[in-house]
């Protein structure tokens, strides 16, 4: 089945995925409406800054087995097998942060969930936009990513594409066809890397 | 905890003040940069456009998402338009600075500017003559009036060519004419750039870049040059002067007043007021030993060049200077003043005063300067600063270092004077190779680059290799703090440069002024080119802006390149979204205008690029050259 | 194959579940002393506070045993383990033979051997019954003393304070949470405790109790007396191994196990608070009595009992505590240890109210204490667990913007 797949080399750090995710998890589902809501909806995908000041869209991998499920004290985290999604039941969550200890990716946050019980701080993370998927929509983060750093596809399709890319790069005559996908962006990253490595200066 | 600040700045006072700021929980530009990361790649590449409401648009650099804006503009057009607007903004800033000076000149001529005078009437006569003003038999004020009128014309629509363009070698002028980029009017070119970049006007990226050159030239040979020349006329042409630099110029037992911003129109009046006997006495009555004036950024450069007023720091030091807790008042006018400053000052007793009707800031008291009230208002404000002395909190005062000496004041006139009246000794030195060439190291600071590391490293490598360095702006402050601006610094230079500078008693790095004073480098280059009968682009010269941040710097870089001088930038301009624009800027421009831009964040590598370029130019002139 | 599991804590029930998922046919017998359904022990503090009722703590309802075909002996305590004959005898007289045995009996609270420790209303907080008793007594009590400033002690103190009692914590060492935090972390937690009205006395030892038949005061060495009507002793736990003959199975502080969680007796496994497992940070076998360890050890023991060989990756001490306005997350080796050349990086952001202490051995992270903004705690703990060589500058760890992406090898 289709999954959200991250291609970090394409992330330009624009954070549109975060905005779209928060809006998709608001009550009004529009940007302007969401900004009026209390509590303010919050994103479940987090664009962090990497070593060379580049962006990285960090979201729940819906691991199997999931360390957070095993760590959860009240058993509030569970797997929806049909959607291959790890979900948190905000009614059972006791905000103990055992899942923060367990998640090696640091994708869980703790706040009031716009769609959960009022006034209760709970663990919140990506839910694979199961509600949107039920309506035939793609996850919100994927919908707005214009560089295709986030795609929604069968893992096999994505892997095949990657394999083909690598094969092309090393096949006969590859040098002649050396069209770089995004020379400007590669150059920008090279310069940013030089800038941060120069004189041991890092973010 | 201060150890990590060695990674933020190479300066001792910077490191110590950053540690104090952290301890006192005061936010700095470095903190805010961290919070901003990662910055949006579309914008870093120049690929986002907000010019109209059919947008906002962006182009996917990976070729799969949208490739054109709603109007149909592709990456080349969007990048070129954005770059053009940066030039327009930078040119506008410099030119407005020039305009304000011309207005003061006009007011002086009408007797409406008490405290201002014509300090260099000889220079005024020379410049007036260039504008076709007949100076025979006219008194100073009358010449001033006519010159001011003529200069105000430069800003408008009537002229077909800016006056100072006549200073360039004919070959350069021919190139500009062939390209159709001779600057006609200072405001005109900026206004036209805003027009061209409106949706649906100029949609040819090369055409846009050409106008960018024109717009920048209207700054370099227009607004900025007027600013420098009129400043010399009103406040004196700089000549060599010694002073001190870094945060140690603040004195614990004095009333400390700092001027920040750009226009000497304000800082000169403050300087006069601090010399007022009554106010100095008042300071003594309040328990201070006197009034200590220091400068930040370009207006500080102006006072240093002309009056030897000490300087406290450059762009990234402006917040930290307040953190010393020893500053009674900072007066600002415009440009490069962080809106964060007022908030930092609130943690201390420091009064923050904004003086320009064009520039208001949060948490600053607004006291507007105009030519008519400047002298009186300056006195009033210095009095208030003196009265603020007793509100200083002694336990929070920390002046981290001892000041170091620096030499300044190298206007073109002063350089020629040092050479004996003509550029011949310099030309001779270049011909023999004792001095390989000259480089202008200019520009700002940027927290993305280790503070002052870019400027100082590049300068050191250049002078080690017998290349004379002239510097302006924040770069000049960095080099001065590194100790390059004393005659003894010739020890750091290569043998040829050491010999020449040593004989003249000058440092191997010459401070030529503030950022508008970059035009002094243009004037010197033009003079050298004319003396040798070549184009500026034939000379072994280069420009470098290792840590630039501002739109003004973009305009400067473009006018320097447009004038024929290869320029290396340390921070990356937002043009990488269009490889066409990048190729033009870094290669193609050579065929078009005789010079190019390069981007190299590492100053060690930039030094090699520049040295190679200089040797190539030497070879082109038939001078002895070496392989780099 | 007859599988027998002693204990229905998280280790025991996870093992049972695992065995059944891998082996649909073998018999599984689970012997449970407590009659209440398996519950989440770390939530006991909330029960005392009255923030939850006991149904909310339940991990597995009655139907779990039926669904997973587990023969549950509820209310039986094991009194004897006969290793050569491979049989256990329970308190109700039943003799249960086994082919594979898992000892997951947990730990019992350490008793204080001072005068007066048999007085009424001196409680532990180890199981549900304890929590119910404390809750009951708190209804008519005005003041409580909690002995032990560790995790359990803090949870007890917090719960009783929330119920309006005057509470005093007495800690033997010089700062709170001495086993899982450093001095500064303990200090910050103490400040928070004091802000909510809990009195904290450190470097103090209890010398006796007074009262009769109920407790009325606690004597501290140095002649202080604290008046109270409730005492909670939270002075540590010791593995529950009274039924084990050390001549038959190797016992040190707990049951020593190999990498497959098997004890010295063949076919007998141990998991959870009873087991001395390989501590992957310290490189030696020791007790790591924390909930998530019990869960993963139960799983691995189950896999091995079924017949697959799966080595346990090793235990890592880790804890997280949310205490009023402060959060503390820690793991690995906190402080200097003999024989290891450790480097400490400390960073406190008073403005944001966060504190970090990183402990490194060369370029490997071996321990961490984080106070507040603990969301990235799992990232740091996974670095410790993986024993990854850190190729990033120290300053990144100290930054509030440290995140997972800074660990990825960069492309290009």
């Amino acid at each position: 089945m289709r999954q959200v797949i991250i291609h970090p080399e394409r992330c330009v750090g624009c954070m549109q995925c975060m905005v779209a995710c928060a809006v998709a998890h608001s009550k009004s589902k529009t940007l302007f409406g969401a900004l009026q809501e209390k509590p303010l909806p919050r994103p479940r995908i987090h664009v962090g800054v990497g070593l060379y000041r580049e962006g990285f869209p960090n979201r729940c991998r819906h691991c199997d087995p999931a360390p957070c499920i095993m760590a959860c004290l009240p058993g509030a985290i569970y797997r929806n097998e049909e959607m291959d999604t790890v979900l948190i039941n905000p009614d059972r969550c006791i905000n103990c942060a055992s899942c923060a200890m367990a998640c090696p990716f640091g994708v869980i946050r703790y706040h009031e969930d716009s769609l959960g019980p009022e006034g209760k701080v709970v663990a919140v993370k990506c839910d694979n936009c199961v509600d949107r998927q039920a309506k035939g929509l793609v996850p919100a983060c994927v919908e707005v990513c214009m560089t295709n750093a986030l795609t929604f596809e069968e893992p096999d399709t994505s892997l095949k594409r990657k394999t083909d890319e690598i094969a092309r790069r090393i096949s006969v005559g590859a040098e002649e066809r050396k069209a770089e996908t995004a020379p400007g962006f590669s150059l920008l990253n090279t310069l940013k890397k030089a800038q941060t490595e120069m004189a041991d200066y890092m973010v | 905890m201060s150890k990590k600040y060695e990674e933020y700045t190479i300066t001792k006072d910077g490191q110590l003040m950053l540690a104090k700021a952290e301890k006192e929980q005061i936010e700095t530009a470095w903190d805010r940069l961290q919070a901003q990361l990662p910055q949006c790649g579309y914008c870093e590449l120049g690929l986002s456009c907000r010019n109209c409401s059919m947008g906002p648009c962006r182009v996917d650099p990976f070729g799969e998402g949208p490739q054109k804006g709603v109007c149909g503009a592709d990456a080349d057009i969007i990048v070129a338009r954005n770059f053009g607007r940066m030039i327009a903004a930078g040119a506008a800033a410099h030119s407005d600075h020039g305009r304000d000076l011309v207005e003061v000149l006009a007011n002086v001529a009408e007797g409406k500017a008490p405290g201002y005078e014509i300090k260099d009437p000889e220079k005024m006569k020379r410049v007036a003559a260039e504008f076709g003003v007949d100076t025979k038999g006219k008194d100073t004020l009358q010449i001033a009036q006519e010159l001011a009128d003529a200069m105000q014309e430069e800003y408008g629509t009537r002229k077909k060519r800016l006056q100072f363009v006549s200073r360039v070698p004919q070959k350069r002028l021919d190139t500009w004419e062939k390209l159709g980029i001779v600057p006609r009017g200072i405001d005109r070119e900026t206004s036209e750039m805003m027009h061209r970049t409106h949706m649906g006007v100029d949609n040819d990226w090369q055409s846009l870049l050409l106008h960018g050159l024109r717009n920048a030239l209207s700054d370099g040979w227009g607004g900025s040059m007027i600013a420098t020349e009129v400043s010399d006329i009103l406040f004196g042409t700089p000549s060599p002067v010694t002073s001190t630099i870094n945060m140690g110029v603040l004195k614990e037992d004095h009333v400390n007043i700092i001027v920040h911003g750009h226009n000497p129109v304000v800082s000169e009046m403050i300087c006069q007021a601090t010399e007022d006997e009554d106010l100095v006495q008042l300071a003594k009555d309040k328990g201070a030993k006197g009034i200590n004036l220091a400068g930040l950024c370009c207006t500080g450069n102006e006072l240093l060049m002309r009056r030897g007023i000490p300087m406290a720091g450059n762009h990234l030091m402006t917040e930290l200077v307040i953190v010393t807790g020893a500053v009674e008042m900072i007066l600002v006018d415009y440009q490069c003043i962080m809106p964060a400053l007022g908030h930092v000052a609130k943690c201390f007793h420091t009064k923050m005063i904004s003086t320009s009707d064009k520039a208001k800031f949060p948490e600053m008291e607004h006291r507007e300067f105009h030519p008519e009230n400047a002298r009186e208002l300056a006195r009033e404000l210095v009095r208030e600063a003196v009265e603020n002395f007793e509100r200083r909190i002694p336990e929070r005062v920390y002046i981290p270092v001892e000041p170091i000496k620096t030499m300044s004041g190298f206007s073109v006139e002063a350089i020629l004077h040092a050479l004996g009246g003509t550029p011949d000794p310099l030309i001779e030195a270049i011909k023999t190779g004792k001095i390989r060439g000259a480089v202008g190291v200019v520009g700002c600071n940027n927290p993305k680059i280790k503070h002052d590391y870019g400027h100082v490293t590049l300068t050191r490598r250049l002078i080690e290799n017998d290349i004379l360095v002239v510097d302006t702006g924040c770069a000049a402050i960095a080099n001065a703090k590194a100790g390059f601006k004393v005659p003894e610094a010739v020890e750091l230079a290569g043998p040829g440069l050491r010999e020449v500078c040593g004989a003249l008693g000058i440092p191997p790095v010459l401070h030529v002024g503030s950022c508008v004073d970059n035009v002094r480098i243009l004037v010197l280059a033009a003079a050298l080119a004319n003396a040798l009968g070549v184009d500026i682009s034939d000379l072994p010269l280069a420009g470098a802006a290792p840590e630039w941040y501002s739109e003004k710097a973009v305009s400067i870089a473009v006018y320097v390149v447009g004038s024929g001088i290869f320029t290396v930038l340390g921070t990356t301009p937002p043009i990488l979204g269009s490889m066409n624009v990048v190729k033009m800027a870094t290669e193609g421009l050579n065929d078009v205008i005789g010079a190019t831009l390069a981007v190299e964040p590492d100053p060690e590598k930039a030094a090699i690029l520049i040295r190679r370029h200089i040797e190539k130019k030497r070879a082109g002139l038939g001078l002895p050259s070496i392989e780099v | 194959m007859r599988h027998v599991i002693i204990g229905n804590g998280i280790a025991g029930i996870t093992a049972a579940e695992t065995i059944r998922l891998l082996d649909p046919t073998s018999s599984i017998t689970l012997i449970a002393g407590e009659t209440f359904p398996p519950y989440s022990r770390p939530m006991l503090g909330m029960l005392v506070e009255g923030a939850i009722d006991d149904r909310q703590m339940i991990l597995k309802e009655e139907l779990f045993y039926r669904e997973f075909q587990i023969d549950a002996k509820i209310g039986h305590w094991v009194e004897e383990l006969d290793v050569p004959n491979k049989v256990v005898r329970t308190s109700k007289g039943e003799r249960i033979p086994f082919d594979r045995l898992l000892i997951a009996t947990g730990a019992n609270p350490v008793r204080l051997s001072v005068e007066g420790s048999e007085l009424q209303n001196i409680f532990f907080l180890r199981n549900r019954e304890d929590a119910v008793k404390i809750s009951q007594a708190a209804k008519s009590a005005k003041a409580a003393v909690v002995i032990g400033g560790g995790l359990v002690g803090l949870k007890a103190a917090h719960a009783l304070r929330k119920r309006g009692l005057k509470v005093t914590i007495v800690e033997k060492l010089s700062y709170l949470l001495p086993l899982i935090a450093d001095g500064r972390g303990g200090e910050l937690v103490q400040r928070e405790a004091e802000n909510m009205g809990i009195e904290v006395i450190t470097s103090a030892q209890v010398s006796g109790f007074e009262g009769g038949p109920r407790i009325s005061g606690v004597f501290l060495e140095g002649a202080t007396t604290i008046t109270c009507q409730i005492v909670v002793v939270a002075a540590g736990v010791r593995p529950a191994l009274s039924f084990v003959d050390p001549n038959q199975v190797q016992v040190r502080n707990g049951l020593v196990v190999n990498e497959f969680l098997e004890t010295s007796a063949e076919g007998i496994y141990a998991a959870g608070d009873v087991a001395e497992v390989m501590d992957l940070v310290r490189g030696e076998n020791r007790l790591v009595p924390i909930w998530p360890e019990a869960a993963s050890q139960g799983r691995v023991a189950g896999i091995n009992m079924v017949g697959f060989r799966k080595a346990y990756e090793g235990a890592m001490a880790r804890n997280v505590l949310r205490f009023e306005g402060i959060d503390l997350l820690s793991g690995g080796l906190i402080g200097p240890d003999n024989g290891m050349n450790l480097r400490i990086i400390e960073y406190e952001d008073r403005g944001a109210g966060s504190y970090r202490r990183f402990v490194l051995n060369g370029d490997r992270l071996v321990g961490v204490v984080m106070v507040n903004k603990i969301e990235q705690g799992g990232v740091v703990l996974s670095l410790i667990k993986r024993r990854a060589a850190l190729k990033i500058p120290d300053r990144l760890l100290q930054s509030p913007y440290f995140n997972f992406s800074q660990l990825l090898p960069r492309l290009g």
Side-chain angles (χ1 to χ4, degrees), chain B residues 98-114 116-118 124 140-152 230 233-234 265 371-372:
Chain B
R99 188 201 324 274
D100 289 344
L101 280 155
V102 174
E103 281 193 340
V104 169
L105 182 64
N107 274 294
V108 167
E110 291 167 33
K112 289 198 197 139
Y116 295 97
E117 52 174 330
I118 310 294
M124 184 172 66
T140 309
L141 291 186
Q142 199 176 346
I143 299 174
Q145 182 66 68
E146 291 185 38
L147 178 57
D149 283 342
M151 284 179 161
Q152 279 167 333
V230 174
I233 290 168
L234 288 173
V265 160
E372 316 86 62

Side-chain angles (χ1 to χ4, degrees), chain B residues 503-556:
Chain B
L504 295 169
I506 57 176
V509 178
L510 301 178
H511 185 196
V512 300
S514 64
C515 288
V516 289
D517 292 343
N518 278 312
V519 302
R520 299 196 201 273
I521 304 175
L522 289 182
V523 167
L524 187 55
L528 288 173
N530 281 326
L532 289 170
V534 298
D535 192 357
I536 297 175
S537 54
D538 296 319
L539 297 173
L541 301 175
E547 301 177 29
W548 72 274
Y549 90 85
S550 72
E551 292 165 308
K552 291 183 293 171
V554 173
S555 181
I556 293 173

Side-chain angles (χ1 to χ4, degrees), chain B residues 1 4 7-8 25 34-35, chain C residues 346-347 350-351 395 399 401:
Chain B
M1 208 47 64
K4 75 181 193 205
E7 293 170 0
Y8 284 22
Q25 294 176 57
Q34 273 205 35
Chain C
E346 268 171 4
Y347 170 68
R350 280 165 216 259
R395 185 162 20 96
S399 163
Y401 302 102

Side-chain angles (χ1 to χ4, degrees), chain C residues 204-223:
Chain C
Q205 294 235 51
V206 170
S207 55
F209 300 114
E210 73 168 351
R214 285 193 275 241
I215 184 113
S216 65
V218 173
F219 296 127
L220 300 183
E221 271 172 24

Side-chain angles (χ1 to χ4, degrees), chain B residues 253-308:
Chain B
D253 53 9
H254 278 61
V255 173
N256 289 305
I257 301 179
I258 292 186
V259 280
H260 179 23
H262 282 69
N263 209 321
V265 160
V266 173
S267 52
E268 284 276 339
M269 289 296 113
I270 304 293
C271 191
Q272 273 183 39
T274 60
E275 291 161 0
D276 180 297
E277 280 171 13
D278 294 332
L279 292 172
V280 174
Q281 185 54 50
L282 180 62
K284 292 191 175 137
D285 295 340
K286 295 282 179 184
K289 290 235 178 77
I291 304 176
N292 181 32
L293 179 66
L296 281 173
C297 289
C298 279
T299 205
N301 269 315
E302 303 274 2
L303 288 182
L304 173 58
M305 287 283 286
R306 295 194 177 89
R307 290 169 173 264

Side-chain angles (χ1 to χ4, degrees), chain B residues 127-261:
Chain B
V127 175
E130 280 185 71
F131 279 85
V133 172
D134 184 4
T135 61
K136 250 206 291 288
K138 293 194 184 132
D139 74 30
T140 309
L141 291 186
Q142 199 176 346
I143 299 174
Q145 182 66 68
E146 291 185 38
L147 178 57
D149 283 342
M151 284 179 161
Q152 279 167 333
E153 275 299 315
E154 295 282 284
Y155 280 81
T157 307
R158 274 195 249 250
K159 301 201 63 170
K160 290 289 165 267
R161 183 166 104 180
L162 291 179
Q163 184 54 53
F164 288 134
V165 163
S166 307
R167 291 177 170 184
V168 308
Q170 188 59 44
K171 285 199 187 126
R172 181 77 353 218
L173 188 51
D174 290 341
T175 305
W176 290 349
E177 267 167 0
K178 206 165 68 188
L179 291 169
I181 60 171
V182 177
R184 301 157 292 180
I186 296 171
D187 287 343
R188 175 179 194 166
E189 307 305 355
T190 297
S191 183
E192 188 173 308
M193 178 60 89
M194 295 310 292
H195 179 189
R196 285 190 186 227
T197 51
H198 186 284
M199 176 348 226
V201 183
D202 196 351
N203 283 287
D204 179 308
W205 63 271
Q206 286 166 303
S207 171
L208 282 161
L209 289 181
L210 276 176
H211 190 75
L213 279 163
R214 190 175 217 178
N215 197 177
L217 291 173
S218 76
D219 171 5
W221 297 94
S224 285
M225 202 166 276
I226 285 180
T228 293
E229 304 294 51
V230 174
S231 294
D232 284 352
I233 290 168
L234 288 173
F235 306 116
T237 305
S239 59
V241 66
T242 324
S243 182
T244 49
I245 194 156
N246 77 25
M247 269 189 229
V249 307
L250 296 175
K251 298 192 183 132
E252 219 169 307
D253 53 9
H254 278 61
V255 173
N256 289 305
I257 301 179
I258 292 186
V259 280
H260 179 23

Side-chain angles (χ1 to χ4, degrees), chain B residues 242-243 404-407 480 483-491 505-509:
Chain B
T242 324
S243 182
I404 68 162
K405 278 224 189 70
T406 182
M407 229 173 133
F484 294 157
K485 301 266 182 66
V486 287
E488 297 76 46
V490 289
E491 294 306 312
I506 57 176
V509 178

Side-chain angles (χ1 to χ4, degrees), chain A residues 47-56 196 202-203, chain B residues 37-38, chain C residues 396 401 403-408 410:
Chain A
V47 177
V49 57
L51 287 177
Y52 305 133
R53 303 195 187 125
E54 75 284 20
F56 178 81
T196 45
M202 291 253 192
V203 156
Chain B
L37 296 172
Chain C
L396 282 185
Y401 302 102
N403 67 93
F404 172 74
S405 69
Q406 288 164 353
L407 303 172
L408 296 173
R410 277 339 278 153

